[in-house]
Amino acid sequence: MNTKKVWLITGASKGLGLSLAKKLLDEGYKVAATSRTVESLEIEIGTSENFLPLEVNITDETSVSNAITKTLETFGTIDVVVNNAGYGQWGTLEELTDSETRQNFDVNVFGALNVIRSVMPHFRNKKSGHIINIGSIAGFNGIFPSLGIYCATKYAMVGFTESLSAEAKEFGVKATIVYPGYFRTNFLDKSTLSLAQNPIEDYTAARNSEHLHKTEIDGKQLGSPEKAATAFIQLAESENPPLHFFMGSDAFTMAYNKIEILQNELRANEALSKSTDF
């Protein structure tokens, strides 16, 4: 009997989602994967009886719900959901329009919430399941000029993952927020970069950050997508997976540095912090 878990991965035609889908299929898991087109999934992954490619608009609740239904009809169950769909929006808070900002939240935040809302009835009924939300180290350390809105979407994902873990615990459902560092995917490719439509020349720190990421970091990232896929599987197979998982030595180091800053500020301002009590 095949007891391997059934996975649903959003945004699986590229990046970490694609590497994970390929690894899972190679190891005999059943995988439902979403992208904006089925063709993009079939080109990158191919076809097999264990693979269900799904055309999904992650921002459309009906489209997401239909994908969950189709997955259950095809495989009978879902065990692990990976909310991977998302993109990086570049631009300072002043530069980005309301439309650009809302679009990034629609995909990165509300898209993931659409998936969670649609899959939770199944998880509640079977009293098990694992939701892995792919955040970013930028959702823990937000000091990245020109990435404020992207950081905000990932901070939001951290917040609702923490709440989800508390809400769903009574049903045996687990939640993990993953904070990847820099991985050698197409995240920084010119074809996937979303830059501000109305850049302001005065923001030199933001322009320097964008230039650095495009010319110095892209192609030299420390993280291996294939090794990330192995880590995701280990998380899902763990009896007690962590709520917070920092992935990559760079993310690990940045997290420690942020924690040290917080500890120093807590100590330095302890008296003032506590002075507001009755």
Side-chain angles (χ1 to χ4, degrees):
M1 178 180 292
N2 186 352
T3 59
K4 285 184 176 290
K5 292 180 171 68
V6 175
W7 292 61
L8 171 69
I9 307 167
T10 69
S13 64
K14 61 180 68 173
L16 295 179
L18 175 59
S19 296
L20 176 57
K22 287 181 173 180
K23 179 72 171 177
L24 288 166
L25 290 167
D26 285 345
E27 295 193 4
Y29 291 88
K30 291 182 171 66
V31 177
T34 83
S35 185
R36 283 172 289 184
T37 66
V38 167
E39 182 182 22
S40 64
L41 291 166
E42 292 179 340
I43 289 173
E44 295 292 344
I45 299 174
T47 59
S48 78
E49 62 180 7
N50 286 341
F51 179 52
L52 176 65
L54 297 162
E55 180 175 324
V56 174
N57 176 359
I58 203 73
T59 66
D60 184 303
E61 193 169 14
T62 299
S63 179
V64 172
S65 178
N66 289 341
I68 299 295
T69 299
K70 182 67 178 296
T71 303
L72 293 174
E73 290 174 348
T74 303
F75 295 137
T77 190
I78 300 171
D79 300 298
V80 184
V81 168
V82 180
N83 277 311
N84 174 69
Y87 70 97
Q89 175 63 61
W90 296 78
T92 67
L93 301 186
E94 181 185 356
E95 290 170 334
L96 292 179
T97 63
D98 181 71
S99 176
E100 289 171 295
T101 299
R102 289 179 183 274
Q103 178 63 23
N104 204 208
F105 270 87
D106 279 345
V107 174
N108 293 7
V109 178
F110 293 106
L113 289 173
N114 283 339
V115 175
I116 292 168
R117 192 180 303 113
S118 293
V119 79
M120 273 304 298
H122 174 63
F123 281 179
R124 280 192 294 107
N125 287 337
K126 72 172 194 165
K127 297 293 189 293
S128 68
H130 191 179
I131 295 174
I132 301 175
N133 293 325
I134 309 304
S136 168
I137 188 57
F140 188 78
N141 183 351
I143 308 177
F144 293 94
S146 190
L147 277 175
I149 293 303
Y150 175 72
C151 290
T153 67
K154 295 304 183 179
Y155 269 86
M157 182 174 272
V158 172
F160 70 65
T161 304
E162 289 184 339
S163 291
L164 175 65
S165 71
E167 294 167 353
K169 184 177 181 180
E170 64 182 298
F171 308 111
V173 178
K174 300 166 184 175
T176 298
I177 178 73
V178 178
Y179 305 83
Y182 290 105
F183 278 79
R184 208 165 296 179
T185 67
N186 59 357
F187 183 78
L188 295 176
D189 287 355
K190 291 180 180 180
S191 62
T192 59
L193 284 174
S194 183
L195 299 173
Q197 297 171 8
N198 303 299
I200 298 172
E201 186 177 349
D202 291 346
Y203 282 106
T204 56
R207 299 295 86 80
N208 289 339
S209 176
E210 292 166 3
H211 180 75
L212 176 69
H213 280 82
K214 287 187 287 184
T215 62
E216 298 296 327
I217 296 176
D218 189 26
K220 301 174 184 176
Q221 298 95 323
L222 289 176
S224 162
E226 291 72 26
K227 290 182 179 179
T230 299
F232 284 129
I233 295 172
Q234 290 180 359
L235 285 174
E237 296 296 340
S238 172
E239 186 175 344
N240 295 297
L243 171 56
H244 301 273
F245 179 67
F246 293 89
M247 192 164 69
S249 59
D250 50 357
F252 197 86
T253 299
M254 282 187 271
Y256 256 108
N257 291 341
K258 173 67 176 288
I259 290 168
E260 184 177 6
I261 290 170
L262 290 173
Q263 288 175 330
N264 290 337
E265 291 186 342
L266 283 169
R267 285 190 292 265
N269 298 284
E270 182 176 2
L272 182 59
S273 294
K274 294 179 178 179
S275 71
T276 59
D277 294 351
F278 279 107

